[in-house]
Amino acid sequence: MSSASPVPEMHPQRWGDPASATVLPDSALGLVELAFGLQDRRPVSGARPPACALDAALLDDLRRVVGAEHVLVDDATRTVRTRGKSTPDLLRARAGDLADAPDAVVRPDGHAEVEAVLRWADEHRVAVVPFGGGTCVTGGLAARRDGFAGVISLDLGRMRRLLAVDEVSMTATLEPGLRGPEAEALLAERGLTLGHYPQSFRHASIGGFAATRSSGQSSAGYGRFDAMVVGLTAATPTGSLDLGAAPASAAGPDLRQLLLGSEGAFGVITSVTLRVRRAPAVTAYEGWRWPSFGAGSDAMRVLAQSGLLPTVLRLSDEAETAINLADPSAIGATDDPGCLMVTGYEGTEALVEARRAAVTAALTDLGGTPLGTEPGERWAHGRFDGPYLRDALLDHGVLVETLETACFWSDRARLHADVSTALTSSLGEGTLVLCHVSHVYETGCSLYFTVAARQGDDPLTQWQAAKAAASDAIVAAGATISHHHAIGTDHRPWLAAEIGEVGVRVLRAVKAELDPRGVLNPGVLIP
């Protein structure tokens, strides 16, 4: 059993490691000023969370469960466990609003301690917000307080061990608090990999990946995170679940699916058993140019339906290709670059060579223009850096946010157009809407939008109106309200339209059985 070293905390008002913050070069600042004007919207300092609402006796009970040093009520710790990292979350934090701060941060170690904390919370009606890496972007870390004695953040950061490896079956069991890089480092010691690399990879956790049905940038080759899960354990206020007895089963409905994507509302995931693969000996990235987003998307569909997917496959539309958000120095390209596709390959030298040759032949036949390795390598170098650019733009008065969805191939063009129109109509003239195809399947794809507009006097309300318009357009087009960011509170108003009234009743029934007093992440997921 191996464990990982601690990971630095993210900045409470920004994304990620403060040492990695992006500074816009003068050339980019000039373009920002031209497009949106420059404002000084840097965060306020000195804000403090409200006083802890839990009385001393309740806190003493908790200390007996997990140890006095693992029940934290200081302002600094509670502040960094307040909400997630969506733009609305950051706008509130940057304005000094810490109203959603937990009353205490509780750090259990192991399944038994998690169970004990949940029994305590159920007995005393205290809301529990499971916390992994804090990268949630849909409002899933701000529990409803009404009717509860208080709110605790259940920080799983002590549960960061690789519990077991089966190199015959190629599975590994990991605890939920492991961050992405930590999990990969522990597996790499055995020559293994998960291959799960979402943009939040450096800070997000194994438990968070499972609880939100995460999908990584290498999903074309490795699959979504939920497709990697072969088993899990979870603690609930009414008992424990230990699921996944075999690689496949016809023993009734798959109960693992109740926990995957449940965002801590049904239980706290305490371990995940995952399919792993041998670490790749070779990695290679390339760029391709397409004359239009439609032509490139059609090529992706052909690859997916022909069984010719590389490990990484993504396509930027015309606007995103011209404005490279991963590289501030490249902002403002003025030529006509068409649409950039990035392909990536991982595996043995022989497998990479064979798949690369087959994909190259297919893309050439479909009308793509090869651009060599430089565009792909540049993307790979900056693949996790986009959120840092958002912070820099927010500082200068630009409202920046992302949203994602997925649809069948036949609906792609309409969805792209309708969501883009909804966003520009809501945010007004000068709004910039960028899009890329982020994940592909035989039957459809995910569209990932990035939006930039001048901040108004009330940017939070400004974005909420735009997000509502985009969400209405997504539902009207028959697409999903979320492909890989989950529901949280932000998407909850649109979930019923996707799953129907009976589906809502099913979720409520599961909630009532596993969490009868409703202490698990109240207000999240369930309509």
Side-chain angles (χ1 to χ4, degrees):
M1 188 165 63
S2 304
S3 61
S5 301
V7 173
E9 295 281 8
M10 287 200 288
H11 192 286
Q13 296 173 313
R14 298 180 181 275
W15 173 266
D17 183 353
S20 300
T22 293
V23 177
L24 292 178
D26 289 343
S27 58
L29 272 178
L31 289 166
V32 169
E33 182 174 20
L34 182 65
F36 307 109
L38 291 179
Q39 307 175 63
D40 186 354
R41 295 291 185 100
R42 286 172 292 183
V44 302
S45 60
R48 299 182 61 183
C52 173
L54 297 173
D55 64 38
L58 287 179
L59 292 172
D60 286 342
D61 286 345
L62 265 182
R63 293 181 179 112
R64 282 189 282 272
V65 172
V66 299
E69 68 273 28
H70 300 303
V71 178
L72 307 172
V73 295
D74 62 282
D75 287 355
T77 303
R78 293 166 57 218
T79 295
V80 296
R81 293 294 177 267
T82 303
R83 308 188 190 97
K85 295 298 181 183
S86 68
T87 292
D89 287 339
L90 291 179
L91 288 172
R92 292 184 175 100
R94 292 162 71 94
D97 176 1
L98 296 175
D100 292 317
D103 296 300
V105 176
V106 182
R107 305 177 70 244
D109 187 11
H111 181 92
E113 287 193 3
V114 172
E115 268 198 317
V117 171
L118 295 189
R119 286 194 298 270
W120 170 89
D122 188 64
E123 178 183 356
H124 299 290
R125 196 158 173 77
V126 175
V128 178
V129 181
F131 189 98
T135 61
C136 175
V137 293
T138 56
L141 297 179
R144 190 185 71 244
R145 278 184 170 270
D146 297 347
F148 295 94
V151 176
I152 64 168
S153 172
L154 192 71
D155 184 345
L156 302 172
R158 293 174 68 203
M159 299 173 63
R160 293 168 36 254
R161 289 172 284 257
L162 173 60
L163 298 175
V165 176
D166 179 348
E167 293 197 43
V168 176
S169 304
M170 291 297 283
T171 64
T173 302
L174 300 97
E175 287 189 310
L178 280 166
R179 308 296 174 87
E182 295 172 335
E184 286 292 345
L186 291 173
L187 291 170
E189 294 175 1
R190 295 159 173 79
L192 304 173
T193 184
L194 284 177
H196 185 69
Y197 298 103
Q199 191 175 63
S200 60
F201 169 74
R202 290 173 177 158
H203 300 281
S205 69
I206 292 295
F209 292 153
T212 60
R213 292 187 181 274
S214 174
S215 193
Q217 296 165 343
S218 301
S219 65
Y222 290 98
R224 292 167 54 94
F225 192 83
D226 51 9
M228 301 177 187
V229 176
V230 297
L232 59 83
T233 59
T236 81
T238 58
S240 294
L241 290 164
D242 187 353
L243 304 170
S249 172
D254 188 349
L255 296 183
R256 293 172 299 182
Q257 301 302 320
L258 285 178
L259 277 298
L260 296 173
S262 65
E263 304 181 59
F266 293 160
V268 178
I269 295 169
T270 55
S271 72
V272 187
T273 300
L274 298 157
R275 176 259 293 154
V276 294
R277 293 183 178 168
R278 296 294 174 193
V282 176
T283 60
Y285 297 96
E286 295 177 331
W288 290 79
R289 182 190 184 279
W290 296 89
S292 69
F293 194 48
S297 297
D298 287 344
M300 299 175 96
R301 175 178 56 80
V302 171
L303 290 183
Q305 294 174 348
S306 302
L308 279 178
L309 288 175
T311 308
V312 172
L313 182 64
R314 56 191 288 123
L315 174 74
S316 295
D317 69 4
E318 292 85 350
E320 185 172 282
T321 300
I323 300 180
N324 185 349
L325 289 186
D327 181 3
S329 66
I331 293 176
T334 57
D335 55 352
D336 177 16
C339 291
L340 174 66
M341 175 185 287
V342 171
T343 57
Y345 307 87
E346 296 184 8
T348 65
E349 185 173 356
L351 285 174
V352 167
E353 183 178 348
R355 179 51 57 106
R356 192 174 183 178
V359 172
T360 296
L363 294 180
T364 301
D365 289 345
L366 290 165
T369 301
L371 300 176
T373 60
E374 192 277 332
E377 291 172 354
R378 177 159 40 88
W379 170 82
H381 178 74
R383 65 194 297 187
F384 306 125
D385 295 340
Y388 291 105
L389 179 57
R390 174 183 60 172
D391 289 333
L393 291 169
L394 287 173
D395 285 348
H396 292 289
V398 183
L399 178 65
V400 183
E401 182 58 304
T402 63
L403 60 91
E404 44 76 26
T405 179
C407 65
F408 294 108
W409 286 114
S410 54
D411 297 325
R412 181 206 56 79
R414 174 195 171 189
L415 182 64
H416 181 216
D418 288 358
V419 173
S420 298
T421 298
L423 290 166
T424 54
S425 296
S426 177
L427 292 168
E429 186 179 353
T431 298
L432 185 64
V433 179
L434 318 177
C435 183
H436 64 264
V437 175
S438 58
H439 307 274
V440 298
Y441 308 92
E442 288 186 53
T443 55
C445 64
S446 172
L447 296 183
Y448 191 103
F449 294 86
T450 301
V451 190
R454 178 180 171 82
Q455 287 187 38
D457 293 336
D458 184 355
L460 180 59
T461 299
Q462 181 185 8
W463 172 248
Q464 288 172 334
K467 180 64 180 283
S471 298
D472 287 344
I474 287 169
V475 169
T480 181
I481 197 61
S482 180
H483 172 263
H484 58 269
H485 283 165
I487 297 300
T489 55
D490 294 357
H491 293 148
R492 191 181 59 184
W494 292 271
L495 181 59
E498 182 164 335
I499 66 175
E501 183 180 340
V502 173
V504 171
R505 293 206 304 269
V506 169
L507 293 183
R508 290 174 178 169
V510 173
K511 177 75 168 175
E513 180 63 33
L514 297 178
D515 180 24
R517 301 195 73 192
V519 298
L520 290 175
N521 222 2
V524 170
L525 177 64
I526 313 296

